[in-house]
């Protein structure tokens, strides 16, 4: 809903729907746009005719939680639960062009740009806050077009471009209900973030088991390796255990008949046993610390 404060707040001057819960919104004065974020999509509405978005942006793999705009650089910044900031140009000469991206360790929940466009602040789901500088660069510099110091043309940026390229294709496959093909494409990327985002999206849709089914032996091995790796990551160990359970449920008989799969399962078992052993050591240390703390109080 839009209100014209000059005519009062009793009734909205315009009412329209984006079809999903709106996480954030902002006005962009130059092109006279209203920008909204709903689920993993950012929509752009022309205020003169807001019946349908004039543009949509699907650069994230999870809910877009926050929006900010830098008028000096005509750049929209979007933050998401996929732990990424995306920088998109709203300059008419390169409209909707992604000019930079940055990945963080935690989900992004808030972002804003300094009025002087010298720095921007990012808030995270774990309660942390980071302030990053925006630096001017000469044409021969190898930094991104937005000038974010931390995002240079490097291995990190190449990895991000690979992630975006694969996830664009995988989102299309999932949207067309080709869940097994989406899993195959994720594994072919050799990119852990692509596999993780794909598995999380399939789990969210309730079709992870379907996506894991009917995979070839090599894919099953890749899934086992990925799952055992995730069990050692505190933020994703639950997902890793779920993956292993589903793989054994789907391919249990096949694993027992294939020496190749059986050998890989033993390797995964040893990796998980090592992780569990380390966790037991941590738990023992925590118990000792708890006793010491309680006796000193």
């Amino acid at each position: 809903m839009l209100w014209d404060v000059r005519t009062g707040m009793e009734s909205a001057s315009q009412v329209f729907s984006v079809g999903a819960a709106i996480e954030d919104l902002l006005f962009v004065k130059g092109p006279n746009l209203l920008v909204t974020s709903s689920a993993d999509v950012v929509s752009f509405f022309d205020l003169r005719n807001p019946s349908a978005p004039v543009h949509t942006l699907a650069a994230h793999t999870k809910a877009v939680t926050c929006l900010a705009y830098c008028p000096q650089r005509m750049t929209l910044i979007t933050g998401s639960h996929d732990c990424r900031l995306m920088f998109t140009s709203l300059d008419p000469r390169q409209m909707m062009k992604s000019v930079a991206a940055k990945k963080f360790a935690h989900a992004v929940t808030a972002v804003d740009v300094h009025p002087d466009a010298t720095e921007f602040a990012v808030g995270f789901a774990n309660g942390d806050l980071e302030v990053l500088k925006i630096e001017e660069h000469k044409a021969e510099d190898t930094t991104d077009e937005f000038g974010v110091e931390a995002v240079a043309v490097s291995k990190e940026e190449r990895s991000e471009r690979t992630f975006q390229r694969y996830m664009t294709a995988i989102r299309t496959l999932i949207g067309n209900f080709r869940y097994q093909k989406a899993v195959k494409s994720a594994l072919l990327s050799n990119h852990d973030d692509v596999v993780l985002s794909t598995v999380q999206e399939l789990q969210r849709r309730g079709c992870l088991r379907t996506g894991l089914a009917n995979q070839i032996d090599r894919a099953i091995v890749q899934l086992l390796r990925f799952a055992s790796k995730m069990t050692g990551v505190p933020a994703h160990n639950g997902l890793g255990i779920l993956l292993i359970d589903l793989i054994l449920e789907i391919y249990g008989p096949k694993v027992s008949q294939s020496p190749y799969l059986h050998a890989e399962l033993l390797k995964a078992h040893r990796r998980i046993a090592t992780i569990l052993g380390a966790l037991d050591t941590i738990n023992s240390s925590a118990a000792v610390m708890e006793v010491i703390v309680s006796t000193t109080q």
Side-chain angles (χ1 to χ4, degrees):
M1 294 184 179
L2 293 177
W3 282 268
D4 187 338
V5 295
R6 296 168 297 183
T7 60
M9 301 291 287
E10 292 184 2
S11 60
S13 60
Q14 298 184 61
V15 180
F16 52 98
S17 174
V18 298
I22 296 174
E23 299 289 343
D24 199 4
L25 52 82
L26 58 79
F27 287 103
V28 178
K29 184 177 180 181
N32 199 30
L33 294 173
L34 173 63
V35 186
T36 68
S37 63
S38 299
D40 60 352
V41 176
V42 178
S43 301
F44 300 80
F45 294 89
D46 185 338
L47 293 177
R48 296 165 298 185
N49 182 23
S51 58
V54 293
H55 298 287
T56 57
L57 181 68
H60 292 279
T61 59
K62 294 185 180 179
V64 180
T65 55
C66 50
L67 307 168
Y69 181 64
C70 179
Q72 294 91 329
R73 299 172 185 273
M74 301 182 72
T75 299
L76 177 72
I77 308 175
T78 58
S80 168
H81 280 164
D82 65 6
C83 307
R84 285 175 166 78
L85 280 183
M86 301 296 295
F87 301 81
T88 304
S89 175
L90 299 189
D91 187 329
R93 295 169 296 180
Q94 50 179 2
M95 193 70 165
M96 298 298 141
K97 178 183 177 182
S98 178
V99 294
K102 182 164 178 61
K103 184 182 178 184
F104 298 93
H106 302 284
V108 179
T109 55
V111 64
D112 203 3
V113 183
H114 192 279
D116 295 334
T118 55
E119 54 194 5
F120 62 97
V122 188
F124 302 96
N126 68 337
D128 287 351
L129 174 68
E130 290 187 20
V131 178
L132 299 163
K133 289 186 179 296
I134 301 172
E135 296 201 351
E136 296 292 345
H137 299 284
K138 298 179 181 179
E140 64 267 25
D141 286 347
T142 57
T143 49
D144 65 273
E145 296 177 45
F146 186 68
V148 181
E149 183 181 20
V151 188
V153 177
S154 61
K155 182 178 179 181
E156 179 183 349
E157 184 174 347
R158 288 194 298 272
S159 176
E160 182 65 27
R161 289 175 178 175
T162 300
F163 173 85
Q164 293 297 337
R165 186 174 70 253
Y166 272 98
M167 287 311 303
T168 298
I170 288 169
R171 277 193 291 266
T172 300
L173 290 171
I174 292 176
N176 292 329
F177 309 106
R178 300 179 66 187
Y179 304 133
Q180 294 169 11
K181 180 65 175 177
V183 171
K184 291 176 183 177
S185 297
L187 294 174
L188 284 172
S189 73
N190 290 318
H191 195 302
D192 281 352
D193 282 350
V194 173
V195 180
L196 178 61
S197 294
T198 302
V199 169
Q200 288 175 327
E201 179 61 19
L202 291 174
Q203 182 188 22
R204 184 181 72 82
R205 291 171 177 253
C207 51
L208 180 56
R209 193 185 191 286
T210 302
L212 296 178
N214 298 319
Q215 300 291 342
I216 63 174
D217 287 4
R218 181 182 175 187
I220 299 169
V221 167
Q222 287 178 285
L223 287 167
L224 272 173
R225 291 175 180 172
F226 175 78
S228 60
K229 183 189 294 185
M230 289 300 102
T231 58
V233 180
H236 305 303
N237 56 11
L239 182 62
I241 292 170
L242 172 63
L243 272 175
I244 290 173
D245 287 344
L246 285 175
I247 291 168
L248 293 178
E249 178 184 332
I250 298 169
Y251 299 106
K254 189 173 183 178
V255 168
S256 62
Q257 297 169 7
S258 168
Y260 175 50
L261 294 178
H262 188 262
E264 193 60 39
L265 182 62
L266 290 176
K267 291 179 184 178
H269 180 267
R270 286 194 291 269
R271 283 194 291 267
I272 294 171
T274 302
I275 293 168
L276 291 176
L279 290 176
D280 286 341
T281 302
I282 293 171
N283 287 334
S284 299
S285 299
V288 172
M289 291 173 67
E290 186 176 347
V291 171
I292 294 173
V293 170
S294 61
T295 56
T296 56
Q297 290 179 341

